[in-house]
Amino acid sequence: VFPFVKFHLSPTMSRRTIRLVAAVALLPIACSFAVPSSIARMSRSLGAVLPPGSRSMRSECEAPVAPTMALGKKSTAKDVIDAFNRDLKGKVAVVTGGNSGIGIETVKALASAGARVVLCSRSVEAGEKAVEDYVRASEGREIQGGYSVPSADVRVVQLDLADLASVDRTVKELEGEERIDYLVLNAGVMAGPKRTTKQGFERQIGTNHFGHFYLTKQLLPRMKEQEDPSRVVVVASTAHQFGSLDLSDLNYQNGRKYTPWGAYGQSKLANILFAKGLNDRLKGTKITANCLHPGVIATPLWRDTASVLAKFIMPLLMKDKTPQQGAATTVFACLEDGAKVAGEYLDDCRVATPQKSALSVEDRDGLWEATERILAEALSVKEEAAAAR
């Protein structure tokens, strides 16, 4: 396990952290595959995201309302909805990667409070199936996650964050929505072999950061025109501590050594720096941005990982939340008062402190400038290719 961890995570990790990962992977096996709660707590310290009646309601047009019950690690997305007790009718949420894992849980929870949700998925068919099977539980389907939302107002649109042209098409599709109150940047890929996006970006930072940056930049003008406050919520990860930022070689094109987990860590570090940088630039507007760690969850995010051990065994041994619990902090970030929580990193429905590397204002601004430059170069090439046709 020790060589596996060192190879698949990051060559910059300390030996102490690597030993801890290896210990977490081996201890349950030694205990007849039983995973006691103490091991689950140990796994969380590693920082790896292992992929997922009636009631009175209060409108968000009124003064912000604090949650009516304590929220924490084991709270579910539905618990958060119930705690805030807020009527979201008339609100519109856009959720990327909404067809599975914590994405579909986020869609379901927001829809249960009356929000209209635009579910963005690489496959429209997969997105529509997830809505019918999991959210609405239509035509006698089994109710999953403890509840269903038969009347859920969910629209599915196609979005491939690994292709800037697809992002352009999605932005065009979203022009049909009257407003965007919650922009949830949830989609991502994790720890796969080295690949590139349509525009030649390293796939993990290309999908997890560049694609979301480009989408957000195009949607912000209309969000700024809205009268009501709105939120940008970035699903990051405590796995940001596995990565380091190389602003001169973000795409591993100039000799930088690629490791699946090191590249994933860089992309998650970029998520945090982006959210904080975005919030800096939104001061004076009615938009706030936050980022979060959802928890250690076994979800389809694991499908791209590079080995059998990483794909099947580690998610089972190290998870500490269900997908329902994993979506709780995302929903909390949507509903919490933006005047109190802005530009923050959240974990277990509360403000937390990320690694020191995620707090660098210099890296925050440097990443923003590098991202704009890289995107501009890619878009210029795209325009030249279109003109040539």
Side-chain angles (χ1 to χ4, degrees), residues 132-152:
E132 294 306 318
D133 289 352
Y134 194 82
V135 178
R136 298 191 182 116
S138 306
E139 299 176 357
R141 292 174 173 85
E142 179 185 357
I143 294 177
Q144 303 178 60
Y147 71 106
S148 64
V149 190
S151 60

Side-chain angles (χ1 to χ4, degrees), residues 21-259:
V21 177
V24 171
L26 288 173
L27 277 174
I29 298 173
C31 298
S32 300
F33 299 97
V35 185
S37 59
S38 60
I39 294 178
R41 287 194 296 271
M42 283 177 63
S43 69
R44 188 175 182 282
S45 72
L46 300 174
V49 173
L50 310 179
S54 64
R55 57 194 179 103
S56 64
M57 301 292 285
R58 187 184 299 266
S59 170
E60 193 177 344
C61 294
E62 303 175 32
V65 179
T68 57
M69 65 182 185
L71 298 169
K73 181 181 179 65
K74 295 304 179 183
S75 300
T76 66
K78 186 64 164 60
D79 290 337
V80 176
I81 291 293
D82 292 341
F84 277 91
N85 196 31
R86 188 175 299 166
D87 185 358
L88 300 185
K89 187 174 182 180
K91 302 295 183 183
V92 177
V94 175
V95 182
T96 70
N99 63 292
S100 64
I102 63 175
I104 192 65
E105 294 292 346
T106 301
V107 169
K108 186 178 181 179
L110 293 173
S112 75
R116 172 175 171 80
V117 184
V118 181
L119 185 163
C120 300
S121 171
R122 279 182 292 183
S123 166
V124 171
E125 181 181 2
E128 291 177 342
K129 185 177 188 305
V131 172
E132 294 306 318
D133 289 352
Y134 194 82
V135 178
R136 298 191 182 116
S138 306
E139 299 176 357
R141 292 174 173 85
E142 179 185 357
I143 294 177
Q144 303 178 60
Y147 71 106
S148 64
V149 190
S151 60
D153 183 4
V154 182
R155 173 192 178 197
V156 180
V157 302
Q158 198 275 338
L159 171 63
D160 182 357
L161 290 162
D163 182 0
L164 299 182
S166 176
V167 177
D168 287 335
R169 290 191 293 270
T170 301
V171 171
K172 191 74 174 174
E173 285 281 336
L174 291 174
E175 290 178 359
E177 300 298 328
E178 294 183 0
R179 54 194 291 156
I180 298 174
D181 298 278
Y182 312 114
L183 176 57
V184 181
L185 309 179
N186 169 81
V189 294
M190 184 179 77
K194 187 176 181 182
R195 296 173 184 160
T196 57
T197 67
K198 184 78 171 179
Q199 281 70 40
F201 308 143
E202 186 277 313
R203 184 167 176 256
Q204 296 193 73
I205 199 166
T207 302
N208 301 350
H209 172 62
F210 290 134
H212 277 139
F213 185 105
Y214 186 53
L215 174 67
T216 304
K217 188 173 181 180
Q218 295 195 76
L219 295 178
L220 279 179
R222 59 177 299 187
M223 293 174 70
K224 289 178 179 178
E225 294 174 357
Q226 297 171 190
E227 293 185 6
D228 294 332
S230 54
R231 310 274 189 274
V232 179
V233 178
V234 185
V235 179
S237 165
T238 190
H240 68 274
Q241 66 180 298
F242 293 162
S244 60
L245 202 66
D246 185 342
L247 295 176
S248 67
D249 196 6
L250 291 170
N251 289 301
Y252 294 85
Q253 295 172 331
N254 301 320
R256 184 182 179 194
K257 183 179 179 181
Y258 178 88
T259 65

